[in-house]
Amino acid sequence: MKNKIIEHLIVGLGIGFVVTTASLWAFGLYEATGMAVMLQFTTWLAASALYGLISMIYDSDIPFPLTFAIHFTGCAVITFIASAVSGIMEFMQWYEWFIYVLPVFVGIYIIIGIVVTITTKWQEKQINKKMNKGR
């Protein structure tokens, strides 16, 4: 169990590092002060670790639609909290998060979901090839 938790943390951090770095560049946060950038970076990497942990739900026996709903909602809540902690919401009302941040979150969520699905399918094919060779 401990190894599984560490594995999910590392995967979450790995994906989060790429997304955080790309987002900082895309949204012009490179113009901010060093301290503001470090707050953003640290907040989103911590959120990424939590995304990785919440992904452990996919290892459970819960039916996929419920698992997906819990994962999506949990990730959205983590994103909302990280948005508040990182200062993104300083310049907007809380409900504007649904207009400006949520669509970006959904887009990133879909892209990561597609990449993870393609990678998993490819890994399954490789495992099946190796298993069929052994017969």
Side-chain angles (χ1 to χ4, degrees), residues 125-135:
K125 285 182 182 180
Q126 297 303 313
I127 291 169
N128 285 335
K129 282 182 187 177
K130 288 182 180 179
M131 289 177 64
N132 288 332
K133 274 187 177 179
R135 289 184 183 190

Side-chain angles (χ1 to χ4, degrees), residues 7 12 22 33 35 37-38 40 46 48 51-52 60 65 68 73 75 80-82 86-87 92 96 99 103 112 131:
E7 178 185 331
T33 66
M35 193 57 145
V37 171
M38 287 308 298
Q40 287 280 335
S48 298
Y51 297 144
S60 70
F68 176 79
T73 303
C75 287
F80 183 84
I81 292 169
S86 69
M92 64 176 81
E96 291 178 309
I99 299 167
I112 291 171
M131 289 177 64

Side-chain angles (χ1 to χ4, degrees), residues 29-61:
L29 294 176
Y30 54 87
E31 297 172 0
T33 66
M35 193 57 145
V37 171
M38 287 308 298
L39 175 63
Q40 287 280 335
F41 199 76
T42 304
T43 301
W44 290 106
L45 284 182
S48 298
L50 294 174
Y51 297 144
L53 282 179
I54 200 167
S55 295
M56 290 180 70
I57 195 163
Y58 285 113
D59 295 339
S60 70
D61 293 331

Side-chain angles (χ1 to χ4, degrees), residues 108-128:
I108 292 170
Y109 191 89
I110 289 169
I111 291 168
I112 291 171
I114 290 169
V115 170
V116 167
T117 300
I118 289 170
T119 303
T120 302
K121 294 295 181 189
W122 180 81
Q123 288 173 337
E124 287 173 358
K125 285 182 182 180
Q126 297 303 313
I127 291 169
N128 285 335

